[in-house]
Amino acid sequence: YDLIIFDAKHFTMNFPTIKDSDESSRGIMFENEPELAEDLVNWYDNFVKDDIENFENCKKRYMSKS
């Protein structure tokens, strides 16, 4: 899924779909939710950001296991 944090109050989560249509995803938009946005930013900063792996490195590692 895609996650976009706009600011301290707004964010959206998009989920890919498999339908044959012009729409590529469905999502949820959170507006004026500062407490939820702050929790999400803290989660991202503490658990996701530091563990991000470059796509090419991930792909090489995966392909080497095949």
Side-chain angles (χ1 to χ4, degrees), residues 4-57:
I4 302 171
I5 303 170
F6 294 104
D7 57 27
K9 294 181 182 180
H10 308 84
F11 67 94
T12 185
M13 298 173 78
N14 294 318
F15 307 96
T17 60
I18 303 178
K19 293 171 49 177
D20 288 333
S21 72
D22 293 335
E23 299 175 34
S24 61
S25 66
R26 299 276 188 229
I28 304 170
M29 176 74 177
F30 294 87
E31 296 179 331
N32 297 315
E33 294 289 342
E35 291 179 11
L36 191 54
E38 181 181 2
D39 287 345
L40 184 61
V41 168
N42 289 335
W43 166 79
Y44 181 84
D45 286 346
N46 292 317
F47 296 102
V48 177
K49 187 171 68 173
D50 292 338
D51 291 332
I52 292 175
E53 182 175 1
N54 176 287
F55 174 75
E56 289 301 323
N57 291 340

